[in-house]
Amino acid sequence: MRKTFIIVSYLLFLVPLMFIVNFLFDIVTLEKIQGLPIFFPLVFCPIGLFFASKAHKIQKNFLTLGAIIVNSVLLIFPLVYMILGTVIFGV
């Protein structure tokens, strides 16, 4: 069960990360969703944090701690992105 929680947690980190990288570098043009990939972490990462914390309660190891850290960092990414965009570009 722990491995399932870790896999789901990392998948819930990787999916928004791939959309963000695609949005920033325009690898594949996704015109219909425009700026939505920036907000995907606000939906996916709390769920990933939940699964990572459940796995961490079952067994404490580096993978579970890593899942908690990467989901937490990606969760604050939209806030940092918007704040720095406002400070730098003044929009």
Side-chain angles (χ1 to χ4, degrees):
M1 189 56 110
R2 177 187 62 88
K3 289 183 181 182
T4 306
F5 285 159
I6 292 174
I7 291 170
V8 169
S9 176
Y10 277 112
L11 283 176
L12 288 172
F13 161 73
L14 287 175
V15 169
L17 182 68
M18 290 188 318
F19 275 110
I20 289 172
V21 169
N22 183 36
F23 174 75
L24 293 176
F25 298 113
D26 202 27
I27 299 167
V28 177
T29 305
L30 300 172
E31 294 177 2
K32 295 196 182 222
I33 59 174
Q34 295 178 359
L36 193 60
I38 298 299
F39 293 103
F40 279 165
L42 295 175
V43 176
F44 288 109
C45 286
I47 301 168
L49 273 170
F50 172 75
F51 284 120
S53 65
K54 284 291 190 185
H56 192 68
K57 285 181 184 178
I58 294 171
Q59 181 179 1
K60 296 174 175 37
N61 63 9
F62 181 72
L63 283 176
T64 59
L65 189 61
I68 291 172
I69 291 170
V70 295
N71 277 303
S72 299
V73 168
L74 194 61
L75 182 62
I76 63 170
F77 173 77
L79 303 173
V80 172
Y81 180 80
M82 288 185 283
I83 290 170
L84 287 179
T86 302
V87 168
I88 293 172
F89 298 116
V91 177

